[in-house]
């Protein structure tokens, strides 16, 4: 409840918002040493895959990555990284990647 300019109560309509999971994206193995594999249960290619360090700095960008594609992370030091994966509908998801020695 909020108040109007004349201090009378004003009520908002109640709205329902539903989020549906379109598909599942998997990144394996975790932890990874040299390569990671990205799979999408629909089999559709991802339009963009971006690799970020923990500070949010973009390290590398890939386009038109097919489901089952391998991405080489062997040149990066051990640590935690993040992948932003965008599908053809423009939906994005973030996955954590742990890089080992």
């Amino acid at each position: 409840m909020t108040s109007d300019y004349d201090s009378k109560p004003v009520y908002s309509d109640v709205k329902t918002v539903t989020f549906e999971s379109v598909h599942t994206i998997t990144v394996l193995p975790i932890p990874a040493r040299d390569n990671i594999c990205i799979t999408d249960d629909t089999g559709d290619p991802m339009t963009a895959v971006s690799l970020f360090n923990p500070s949010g700095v973009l390290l590398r960008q890939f386009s038109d990555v097919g489901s089952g594609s391998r991405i080489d992370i062997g040149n990066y030091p051990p640590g935690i990284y993040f992948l932003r994966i965008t599908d053809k509908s423009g939906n994005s998801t973030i996955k954590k990647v742990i890089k080992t020695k």
Side-chain angles (χ1 to χ4, degrees), residues 23 25 34 41 43 46 57-58 73 77 81 85 87 95-96:
H23 52 87
I25 295 174
D34 296 317
D41 65 351
M46 282 67 66
V57 175
L58 176 65
I73 60 169
Y81 297 90
I85 303 164
D87 67 15
K95 297 289 185 174
K96 180 169 68 171

Side-chain angles (χ1 to χ4, degrees), residues 2-79:
T2 60
S3 296
D4 201 349
Y5 293 110
D6 59 3
S7 299
K8 292 182 181 176
V10 178
Y11 296 93
S12 300
D13 293 338
V14 175
K15 305 275 183 185
T16 302
V17 179
T18 305
F19 295 98
E20 295 181 21
S21 176
V22 179
H23 52 87
T24 301
I25 295 174
T26 306
V27 177
L28 294 172
I30 302 295
R33 182 173 289 160
D34 296 317
N35 293 295
I36 53 174
C37 180
I38 303 172
T39 58
D40 180 342
D41 65 351
T42 65
D44 292 336
M46 282 67 66
T47 57
V49 176
S50 305
L51 180 67
F52 296 90
N53 70 11
S55 299
V57 175
L58 176 65
L59 301 175
R60 202 158 169 207
Q61 181 127 11
F62 307 89
S63 59
D64 295 321
V65 176
S67 183
S69 294
R70 294 194 175 278
I71 293 178
D72 181 13
I73 60 169
N75 292 331
Y76 297 104

